Amino acid sequence: MSADPRAALAAALPEADLVTDPDVLASLSADDAEWAPAGRPLAALRAVSAAQVRAAVRACAELGVPVVPRGAGTGLSGGANATEGCLVLDLSRMDRVLEIDAENLVAVVQPGVVNDDLKRAVAEHGLWYPPDPASAPWSTIGGNVATNAGGLCCLKYGVTRDYVLGLEAVVGGPAGEYGTAVRLGRRTTKGVSGYDLASLFVGSEGTLGVVTEVTLRLRPARRDVPHTVVGAFDSLVAAGEAVALCTRRGLAPAALELLDRACLEAVEEWKHLGLEPDAGALLLARLDAPGQAGAEEARAVARAFTESGARWAERSTDAVEAEALFEARRLAYPALERLGPVLTEDVCVPRSAVPAMLARTEEIGRRHGVRIATIAHAGDGNLHPLLITPPGDDAARRAAQAAFDELLDQAVALGGTVTGEHGVGLLKRGGMRAELGPEVCAMQEAVKRTLDPLGLFNPGKVVGMPGS
């Protein structure tokens, strides 16, 4: 590495917006996983074009400077956290919707496009982009691709990977010198030419290259006003039983979300939405089958809630009322952040195991003396226990970390996974190794070494290769 790598980097990128101010660098050095460690970057680049990304990667390879891509920084696993001496590559200014092809149901976007902005843009053409993480008002498509983000409606409509047809990425290794741009995937509905490298990049958290363009599948916009069913339960486990019953009966809500009392109280105290947080847990179901089928499915879901012990279950077609309830779900995480440092879980278990995982979550919280609030994409088994600690309480942080690790173990024991949508990043590397086993981890490390032999891209994340 050059004796003055920052000056060498500036010389290699003379027209770039290279950030070196320490305070600004600090703001770009971490995502929302406040418990994950972050290093001190050499600099940050606010890229505005794919050409600038290619030049930056090429220069960093020559200088031995690691590259850590980031978007809006809404991640919850430390995947966008700076490593010591890296270049933080901020892609949030690459925010153009390049094409909307209504005839073929395709959109082409840059990675900095915000999820909700894309939804609005395609809605003008009578189209819909379904993936909807709770951070959709702020998170970018590039970040969603990096973590294979899910969201509220993935129960019925799938996750980000299901909508990525192709992408452009800046890579190195076997494709050529570092800074080479490649196009992966396709824009046709079907295609099986070779290995599915585009899907490999989805969920890779920037460890294989830097995504500079994404080709996305769209759907026709939904025309009917969806039905909303709300059920209030005395306990988390009873709400979990309702989820399992809906699954056994083959019901297919577009969304089936859970909030416990702690979440409801935190949201109401903050935003005053008119919620009545007196239940142990609330289930929110959204059903969008057209016509009479939607009404019948809503009645069936309400019946399943009641038979599982709901103190009440109500159906609504009032769009304003329904949106307020789902807005409460989206606000739960930031509302809880106001109470103290939050360690966020992201386990996913088979849907039939949701009641058991909720029961084990409560037991683990009691045993470790840790306050745990739970939100969940309950319909697909993706649970987000949120471990909250008093500010500055080191003993509480240690107890929360022990509870966090035990929750990972219990999810795997129930046939689940340690991360459903937030990614591995820094927080889940140990859990991933325990889940996958040494043989599969060795395969993953081999892919990383082959496609990124210099270990340049987001080193130490996900696979956490020795020496990276």
Side-chain angles (χ1 to χ4, degrees):
M1 186 182 291
S2 164
D4 188 354
R6 184 177 292 174
L9 195 59
L13 303 166
E15 298 180 6
D17 181 8
L18 205 62
V19 177
T20 57
D21 178 88
D23 292 334
V24 180
L25 279 181
S27 72
L28 295 172
S29 294
D31 62 18
D32 276 348
E34 63 177 299
W35 289 41
R40 292 169 299 178
L42 180 70
L45 170 63
R46 291 187 168 121
V48 295
S49 69
Q52 211 168 60
V53 174
R54 292 195 297 271
V57 169
R58 187 161 49 247
C60 286
E62 292 170 357
L63 295 168
V65 173
V67 175
V68 176
R70 68 170 276 133
T74 60
L76 293 167
S77 65
N81 283 16
T83 58
E84 201 69 23
C86 75
L87 174 71
V88 172
L89 191 50
D90 180 358
L91 303 168
S92 61
R93 291 186 178 178
M94 294 177 63
D95 59 358
R96 292 171 55 213
V97 177
L98 301 172
E99 179 185 358
I100 298 173
D101 181 350
E103 186 175 7
N104 291 300
L105 302 179
V106 166
V108 181
V109 305
Q110 292 183 313
V113 171
V114 171
N115 184 296
D116 271 2
D117 290 345
L118 174 61
K119 291 183 190 298
R120 283 189 286 269
V122 303
E124 294 178 4
H125 299 261
L127 301 172
W128 177 40
Y129 177 65
D132 62 339
S135 60
W138 316 283
S139 64
T140 61
I141 296 298
N144 293 172
V145 169
T147 59
N148 189 26
L152 277 65
C153 74
C154 60
L155 168 61
K156 184 173 182 178
Y157 292 103
V159 296
T160 299
R161 179 177 284 117
D162 298 309
Y163 294 87
V164 175
L165 291 168
L167 53 84
E168 180 185 82
V170 176
V171 298
E177 69 172 359
Y178 276 81
T180 298
V182 295
R183 287 193 172 273
L184 308 174
R186 63 197 190 282
R187 61 182 292 152
T188 55
T189 302
K190 298 166 69 176
V192 289
S193 297
Y195 298 129
D196 190 354
L197 296 179
S199 288
L200 178 63
F201 270 67
V202 179
S204 66
E205 301 184 48
T207 61
L208 303 178
V210 182
V211 173
T212 53
E213 184 182 291
V214 189
T215 300
L216 296 165
R217 184 196 316 272
L218 303 175
R219 297 177 65 102
R222 296 176 290 186
R223 296 182 180 179
D224 292 304
V225 176
H227 297 262
T228 299
V229 179
V230 185
F233 297 81
D234 289 324
S235 71
L236 272 178
V237 175
E241 294 289 356
V243 172
L245 182 58
C246 288
T247 299
R248 288 197 299 274
R249 292 183 174 174
L251 301 173
L256 183 52
E257 297 291 306
L258 178 148
L259 300 92
D260 74 358
R261 178 179 292 159
C263 296
L264 293 167
E265 289 175 344
V267 171
E268 182 60 23
E269 181 182 335
W270 181 30
K271 291 295 185 179
H272 308 294
L273 299 178
L275 302 173
E276 296 182 7
D278 60 339
L282 212 63
L283 278 181
L284 309 176
R286 177 172 283 166
L287 303 112
D288 62 358
Q292 186 61 28
E296 291 175 358
E297 196 168 35
R299 281 193 290 270
V301 168
R303 192 160 50 247
F305 286 5
T306 300
E307 292 176 16
S308 300
R311 59 164 71 170
W312 53 261
E314 296 180 359
R315 295 187 295 123
S316 172
T317 56
D318 185 306
V320 175
E321 179 184 63
E323 191 51 43
L325 288 166
F326 279 92
E327 181 67 10
R329 164 62 184 86
R330 294 183 185 279
L331 290 170
Y333 181 78
L336 289 163
E337 275 189 312
R338 299 171 66 249
L339 305 180
V342 177
L343 182 57
T344 306
E345 271 288 12
D346 171 39
V347 296
C348 191
V349 297
R351 285 177 285 184
S352 60
V354 167
M357 189 66 211
L358 289 170
R360 295 183 189 189
T361 298
E362 290 188 316
E363 190 276 329
I364 288 169
R366 284 194 299 270
R367 183 155 38 81
H368 288 276
V370 175
R371 182 182 181 186
I372 300 180
T374 299
I375 54 179
H377 308 305
D380 58 20
N382 191 183
L383 311 181
H384 298 314
L386 307 173
L387 295 80
I388 306 162
T389 59
D393 189 332
D394 290 339
R397 286 178 71 95
R398 288 192 295 272
Q401 186 63 60
F404 179 90
D405 294 339
E406 192 169 339
L407 287 167
L408 299 183
D409 293 341
Q410 290 301 318
V412 173
L414 288 169
T417 178
V418 300
T419 175
E421 59 185 6
H422 293 169
V424 174
L426 291 168
L427 293 180
K428 297 288 184 76
R429 288 179 301 176
M432 186 194 78
R433 286 193 291 270
E435 175 189 335
L436 299 182
E439 297 85 2
V440 174
C441 286
M443 293 172 68
Q444 300 226 3
E445 290 167 8
V447 170
K448 167 69 171 173
R449 279 193 297 269
T450 300
L451 297 184
D452 180 20
L454 296 182
L456 192 81
F457 297 118
N458 214 5
K461 312 294 175 56
V462 189
V463 294
M465 285 166 35
S468 62

